[in-house]
Amino acid sequence: MAAVAWRQDEAVHPLVRAFACGPMPLRACTVAVVELRDWQPWVDDAWDLLDTQERQRVSQRRFRADREALALTYALHRLFVANAIDVSPRSVAIGRDADGCPCLPGHELFGHALHTSLSHADGVAAFALCALGPVGVDVEASFRADELPGIAGSVCHPSELQSLAGFAEPAYSRALLALWVRKEALLKAEGVGLAREMSTFRASAGEAFALAGRARDSSACSVRLAMLDVGERWTAAVAAPCDAAVECRRLRPVVGRMAAERAL
């Protein structure tokens, strides 16, 4: 009855009405990917779902397009979490840890603490949610691949540099970008941000990695890296607990509701 009550109460909110996504299975790491241009008609409504700190961060953006993109990102993240655990979006408290990464204090799924991660770039946002341990997600615009060869030494472990030495362009730059997003996802799952230099560790897709540094949950000792299918314009990866099934959903508003397409 509580779930029905909040759904009826929130139904008048246009963005809530346009968003519907099924609950998250306990043993899943669910990643939602949204193209922000699909949600542009609801940009004014997004502002209403932000908390005070989120509004302050949005207001600090210099350009209007950046403010609108960030407002939509924050609002859709809150809606994604709310729908996954079937609570009112206004009751979802999204905090920030010491490194500025999002966290969900007090929120649980079947008695398990929830972990979340967020990334946005060039008109797309990705949200990861898991109840089995820390999670990290990163998405980057594919054109960024052109910028990476010049800093390959800072991105790659020496053995990775050796492995990529035989790659010709554009495969070399694309492989570097894929490596970048995997390492960013792993660092987010660890909760250390860029305090750990990328060149000091390897990050192969499908491999298990023990979490280092100030992991948000010491009970989750390792994660596995997976690339995500997010289309040609972007490159994305997730670091999820090894025993979690990774599920990626492409989410779009369709006639007042959401269509979810499985992408992984």
Side-chain angles (χ1 to χ4, degrees), residues 29-238:
C29 170
T30 301
V31 181
V33 179
V34 295
E35 291 189 45
L36 298 177
R37 65 182 179 182
D38 293 338
W39 297 91
Q40 190 64 28
W42 292 273
V43 67
D44 292 334
D45 303 303
W47 184 265
D48 185 51
L49 292 181
L50 307 187
D51 63 27
T52 301
Q53 292 184 343
E54 288 168 338
R55 292 183 182 186
Q56 290 176 345
R57 287 193 291 270
V58 169
S59 298
Q60 290 170 357
R61 296 299 176 102
R62 179 178 179 183
F63 300 107
R64 177 179 177 179
D66 293 338
R67 293 194 298 271
E68 292 181 347
L70 191 58
L72 282 170
T73 296
Y74 286 156
L76 293 170
H77 184 208
R78 177 167 277 105
L79 283 169
F80 171 59
V81 174
N83 277 258
I85 60 177
D86 197 21
V87 299
S88 165
R90 299 182 192 278
S91 71
V92 174
I94 301 178
R96 294 274 166 171
D97 63 17
D99 296 299
C101 296
C103 56
L104 297 169
H107 292 293
E108 296 182 347
L109 181 66
F110 301 116
H112 294 258
L114 277 172
H115 302 262
T116 192
S117 183
L118 178 155
S119 182
H120 59 95
D122 190 42
V124 70
F127 319 118
L129 192 64
C130 187
L132 298 182
V135 62
V137 68
D138 191 61
V139 60
E140 299 290 347
S142 294
F143 68 76
R144 284 207 61 200
D146 297 336
E147 306 169 5
L148 294 180
I151 59 170
S154 299
V155 177
C156 299
H157 184 274
S159 62
E160 292 169 335
L161 279 175
Q162 185 176 1
S163 298
L164 294 176
F167 281 47
E169 290 292 2
Y172 178 71
S173 295
R174 291 172 181 168
L176 279 175
L177 184 59
L179 187 61
W180 174 282
V181 296
R182 290 198 299 271
K183 293 195 174 190
E184 281 274 14
L186 182 58
L187 291 170
K188 289 181 178 181
E190 287 182 338
V192 298
L194 295 178
R196 184 182 181 193
E197 295 184 5
M198 287 186 174
S199 61
T200 62
F201 63 96
R202 294 175 53 88
S204 301
E207 189 175 344
F209 296 87
L211 292 176
R214 297 184 297 100
R216 298 188 187 92
D217 185 352
S218 58
S219 65
C221 61
S222 62
V223 296
R224 195 177 305 278
L225 290 169
M227 299 301 298
L228 301 172
D229 181 2
V230 293
E232 295 182 357
R233 288 183 56 193
W234 305 283
T235 301
V238 64

